[in-house]
Amino acid sequence: RYGVPVSDLTDMNGSVDPRRLQNGTRLVVPVGGVDGDMGARLASNAVPVRHIVSSGENLWTIARRYGVSTRELARENGRALDDVIQIGDQLLIPGTSPST
């Protein structure tokens, strides 16, 4: 649908196996330029990436999924490392806003 190579989708979505996707699976879809480093494409996006917290997730699992530290993730969202996150919370992923 978005013209993004499967390799880019698997790079952005870590543990998601493209052969085992199910309806309702949320994916991060990189947008922007077609050439270059994935990180450079993310940094050039017009819209920061937001993650909606699902059941069973915590700062560590979300940070690992996006390749950032838990400290960066907490700081970007004005939270302490020991803050509890709730299902449905929206978290801004560090390093994805146009200003970085």
Side-chain angles (χ1 to χ4, degrees):
R1 174 185 290 181
Y2 298 99
V4 176
V6 172
S7 61
D8 286 358
L9 289 172
T10 55
D11 287 347
M12 291 300 306
N13 293 283
S15 64
V16 174
D17 182 349
R19 295 168 297 194
R20 296 184 181 187
L21 289 178
Q22 296 179 355
N23 285 336
T25 301
R26 291 179 186 234
L27 297 174
V28 175
V29 179
V31 294
V34 177
D35 298 295
D37 175 68
M38 179 61 66
R41 277 189 262 170
L42 269 179
S44 68
N45 289 343
V47 179
V49 172
R50 290 195 179 271
H51 176 86
I52 300 172
V53 177
S54 299
S55 177
E57 291 183 316
N58 57 44
L59 287 179
W60 184 84
T61 59
I62 296 167
R64 182 174 170 191
R65 178 177 189 173
Y66 292 98
V68 299
S69 73
T70 52
R71 188 174 307 278
E72 290 173 308
L73 183 59
R75 186 178 326 130
E76 183 75 23
N77 291 281
R79 296 175 182 263
L81 286 173
D82 59 351
D83 281 356
V84 175
I85 57 175
Q86 303 291 327
I87 295 171
D89 284 353
Q90 293 187 25
L91 300 175
L92 179 64
I93 305 304
T96 60
S97 71
S99 63
T100 58

